[in-house]
């Protein structure tokens, strides 16, 4: 219907002999004005002709003219698509107000992609697209009307069942399927817990220092007070936690972020004893990258030591992709009902179809196969990363090599790590300074994530960082480099 369809085109007053001209002009203007963006598909000529009341040939003629001008491209099996780079015209000249003709400006050079060692993501190019697509296709093929309707806000039963079995198998986590809540990643679990804790009258949470800035920002958003607690070579210093006026603590026991230390067995017992002293105390366990262990045996989760004291959470962000926003929370049984109610009240839970696809990957063993492959790939990247650091910045101490997706480079005292990171950014390398992850002052450092970038790019980035650090060298680094393999000691 004229005026009612594509681009709101109104063809009523267009004379018969001028229709192709008119349509080509309208489409040109829509492309130039941005209403039709690169990659947009034009309607099939038959459909648009019907809409405008034109002959099909008229529309085809308008499309042909635009194709000649390289504004659109016909694609077999797809249709006519707006061209990506716009028309390939001869260089244009532009006229100034005084009538002087100037050559058009050369296209601006776009800056090369920065090398990103700041993002804590896995090798995303290895995302198992085929397996995920297959799982989604199977889920959709079998989805009943019920599957497509409103779902349990706690999560799809099939996924909660699969997670309960997988977490027991891989992490020793104790949870019935009914005790698993599907969340929007660890972040979603923290936000959910924070709401419940506020509801119970808590006004603060203790966090590891140094710790993950992302977690801190989320908890600062929700809670009136966060209390940093120092970390040493055995993990969170529970003695210090006892000096804080708080009944909730967030820890990363299997692989402390960012130091890489493991919460020692004695500390685990101390922490649980702290929680046992008051009924309202809670330990939140962020098991964010537990799947990646290279030179040491997997460390069990803390939750099985005290399922009634620990709220366990993890996600797919380090194993598949953060974009999926899929994670899980296993809270103490006393909290399950109210947390599920909060999920219901804040959006009726997570989208069901991706949950079912994940359940399928777990049930068929595809996720575990993928993880085995990822572990091997990430180990190679870890080895290359350590070698690059040793070669380019000898003397720097490297922490956290045995597990995870990042290294911590300890810099000599007195180096301003934030300035190092800022200079690296100017050279096109993104890296996190350790000082940004801590509350109290401490040794400077850089957190470098090695999984996402190709080893050649990682090596390039380390060379840039070495350049930035050069003025600080000259005997100021510790002269003996500890063996890096297994050098997971604290800071
Ligand atoms: C310590 C820590 N916990 C959790 C996460 C993952 O958060 P989410 O599951 O919300 O993506 C990250 C991501 O970088 C992290 O560094």
């Amino acid at each position: 219907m004229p005026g009612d369809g594509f681009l709101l085109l109104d063809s009523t007053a267009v004379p018969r002999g001028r229709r192709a001209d008119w349509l080509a002009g309208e489409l040109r203007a829509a492309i130039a004005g941005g209403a039709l963006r690169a990659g947009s598909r034009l309607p099939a000529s038959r459909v648009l002709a019907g809409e405008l009341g034109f002959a099909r040939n008229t529309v085809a003629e308008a499309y042909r003219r635009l194709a000649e001008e390289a504004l659109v491209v016909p694609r077999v099996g797809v249709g006519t698509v707006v061209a990506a780079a716009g028309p390939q015209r001869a260089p244009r000249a532009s006229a100034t107000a005084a009538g002087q003709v100037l050559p058009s400006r050369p296209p601006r050079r776009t800056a090369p992609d920065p090398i990103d060692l700041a993002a804590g993501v896995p090798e995303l190019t290895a995302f198992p697209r085929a397996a995920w697509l297959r799982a989604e296709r199977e889920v959709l093929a079998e989805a009943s009307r019920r599957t497509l309707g409103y779902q349990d806000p706690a999560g799809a039963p099939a996924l909660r069942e699969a997670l309960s079995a997988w977490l027991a198998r891989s992490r020793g986590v104790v949870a019935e399927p009914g005790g698993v809540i599907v969340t929007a990643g660890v972040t979603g679990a923290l936000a959910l817990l924070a709401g419940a804790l506020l509801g119970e009258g808590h006004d603060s949470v203790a966090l590891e220092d140094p710790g993950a800035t992302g977690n801190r920002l989320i908890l600062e958003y929700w809670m009136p007070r966060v209390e940093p607690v120092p970390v040493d070579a055995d993990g969170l210093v529970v003695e210090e936690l006892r000096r804080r006026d708080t009944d909730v603590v967030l820890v990363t026991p299997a692989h402390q972020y960012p130091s890489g230390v493991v919460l020692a067995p004695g500390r685990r017992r101390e922490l649980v004893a702290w929680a046992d002293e008051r009924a309202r105390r809670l330990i939140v366990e962020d098991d964010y990258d537990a799947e990646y262990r290279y030179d040491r045996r997997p460390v069990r989760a803390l939750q099985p030591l005290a399922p009634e004291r620990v709220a366990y959470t993890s996600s797919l962000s380090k194993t598949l992709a953060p974009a999926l926003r899929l994670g899980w929370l296993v809270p103490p049984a006393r909290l399950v009902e109210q947390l599920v109610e909060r999920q219901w009240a804040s959006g009726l839970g997570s989208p069901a179809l991706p949950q079912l696809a994940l359940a399928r990957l777990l049930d068929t063993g595809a996720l575990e196969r993928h993880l085995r492959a990822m572990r091997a790939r990430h180990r190679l990247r870890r080895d290359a990363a350590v070698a690059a650091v040793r070669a380019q910045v000898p003397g720097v101490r490297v922490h956290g090599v045995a597990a995870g997706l990042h290294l911590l480079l300890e810099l000599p005292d007195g180096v301003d790590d934030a300035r190092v990171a800022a200079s690296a950014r100017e050279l096109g390398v993104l890296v996190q300074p350790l000082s940004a992850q801590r509350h109290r002052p401490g040794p400077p450092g850089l957190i470098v994530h090695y999984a996402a970038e190709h080893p050649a790019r990682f090596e390039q980035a380390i060379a840039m960082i070495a350049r930035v650090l050069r003025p600080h060298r000259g005997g100021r680094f510790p002269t003996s480099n500890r063996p890096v393999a297994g050098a997971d000691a604290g800071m």
Side-chain angles (χ1 to χ4, degrees):
M1 220 173 302
D4 194 27
F6 181 63
L7 295 173
L8 303 175
L9 295 173
D10 182 357
S11 59
T12 40
V14 183
R16 187 174 283 269
R18 301 218 42 236
R19 286 177 172 173
D21 278 353
W22 170 83
L23 179 57
E26 292 290 317
L27 294 174
R28 236 178 251 122
I31 293 169
L36 276 177
R37 306 218 180 130
S40 310
R41 215 169 71 182
L42 302 187
S45 53
R46 179 181 43 78
V47 173
L48 187 55
E51 220 175 74
L52 298 172
F54 289 0
R56 184 175 176 184
N57 277 353
T58 308
V59 176
E61 170 60 17
Y63 284 7
R64 193 188 59 73
R65 289 186 200 170
L66 296 180
E68 272 177 13
E69 294 165 35
L71 286 170
V72 299
V73 270
R75 291 231 179 97
V76 181
V78 176
T80 304
V81 175
V82 177
Q88 308 291 308
R89 298 198 187 97
R92 255 190 310 178
S94 55
T96 64
Q100 187 191 0
V101 175
L102 299 172
S104 60
R105 267 188 295 163
R108 239 189 315 157
R109 266 198 300 153
T110 48
D113 255 3
I115 306 181
D116 192 353
L117 310 187
V121 294
E123 187 188 341
L124 293 171
T125 48
F127 183 86
R129 289 165 200 254
W132 187 270
L133 270 174
R134 203 176 314 119
E136 283 209 329
R137 207 174 299 119
E138 287 167 9
V139 164
L140 268 177
E142 289 168 20
S144 63
R145 277 196 311 169
R146 235 177 114 207
T147 315
L148 295 171
Y150 289 105
Q151 296 294 321
D152 186 339
L159 178 59
R160 296 167 82 199
E161 189 131 342
L163 283 172
S164 152
W166 181 52
L167 293 174
R169 202 160 65 233
S170 63
R171 307 293 300 127
V173 168
V174 180
E176 291 300 314
V180 179
I181 303 174
V182 178
T183 59
V186 168
T187 305
L190 295 182
L192 190 62
L193 277 169
L197 292 168
L198 283 169
E200 285 190 348
H202 291 271
D203 70 347
S204 64
V205 55
L207 300 175
E208 295 164 324
D209 181 21
T213 309
N215 284 351
R216 178 172 56 76
L217 292 173
I218 293 299
L219 288 171
E220 278 175 353
Y221 180 89
W222 292 104
M223 302 297 282
R225 199 157 48 85
V226 301
E227 290 281 356
V229 176
V231 169
D232 67 13
D234 286 333
L236 184 93
V237 182
V238 182
E239 243 347 274
E240 288 285 338
L241 172 64
R242 289 185 172 285
R243 298 199 185 106
R244 305 293 188 275
D245 177 22
T246 187
D247 288 318
V248 185
V249 62
L250 170 63
V251 278
T252 47
H255 189 231
Q256 203 273 329
Y257 189 91
S259 70
V261 300
V262 178
L263 190 64
R267 288 280 170 83
R268 289 174 182 240
R269 286 192 295 274
E270 263 185 81
L271 188 58
V272 170
W274 169 85
D276 274 337
E277 284 164 14
R278 279 196 213 157
R280 59 192 254 113
R281 283 196 170 157
L282 182 71
I283 301 163
V284 183
E285 175 174 21
D286 175 1
D287 203 26
Y288 65 105
D289 70 356
E291 294 78 13
Y292 300 116
R293 299 291 168 266
Y294 311 115
D295 309 316
R296 68 175 187 220
R297 289 169 58 79
V299 181
R300 260 162 80 91
L302 176 69
Q303 189 264 7
L305 268 186
E308 280 313 305
R309 291 280 162 216
V310 178
Y312 172 94
T313 177
S314 185
S315 76
L316 293 182
S317 295
K318 305 282 183 188
T319 48
L320 288 178
L324 291 168
R325 303 311 307 136
L326 261 177
W328 40 90
L329 172 65
V330 179
R334 72 188 146 89
L335 292 177
V336 171
E337 200 178 315
Q338 62 156 310
L339 290 169
V340 173
E341 192 176 308
R342 279 177 186 277
Q343 276 292 70
W344 164 79
S346 50
L348 307 185
S350 302
L353 295 179
Q355 291 186 52
L356 294 173
L358 175 60
R360 201 160 279 255
L361 292 185
L362 281 165
D363 289 342
T364 56
L367 187 75
E368 278 165 281
R369 280 195 297 282
H370 173 71
L371 282 177
R372 273 196 293 280
M374 291 304 281
R375 216 170 283 132
R377 291 173 82 101
H378 286 149
R379 175 198 284 271
L380 288 176
R381 289 197 167 191
R382 189 278 312 255
D383 291 346
V386 171
V389 171
R390 279 182 150 176
Q392 313 253 16
V393 268
V396 74
R397 277 172 68 171
V398 184
H399 300 267
V401 299
L405 304 176
H406 71 273
L407 303 174
L408 175 60
L409 312 185
E410 188 181 329
L411 300 179
D413 280 346
V415 173
D416 182 341
D417 58 13
R419 278 183 53 193
V420 170
S423 305
R425 175 182 286 267
E426 276 169 25
L427 296 176
V429 175
L430 308 182
V431 64
Q432 292 177 8
L434 179 58
S435 56
Q437 317 280 328
R438 52 158 98 249
H439 186 81
R440 292 166 317 140
L446 295 176
I447 301 156
V448 294
H449 293 90
Y450 54 76
E453 294 282 5
H454 187 276
R457 274 173 60 90
F458 184 93
E459 199 180 330
Q460 249 179 34
I462 292 296
M464 307 273 200
I465 290 172
R467 225 168 94 190
V468 172
L469 284 172
R470 211 157 287 145
H472 300 288
R473 308 253 311 264
R476 291 182 64 200
F477 278 152
T479 45
S480 70
N481 194 7
R482 280 193 299 162
V484 278
D488 250 348
M491 332 208 7

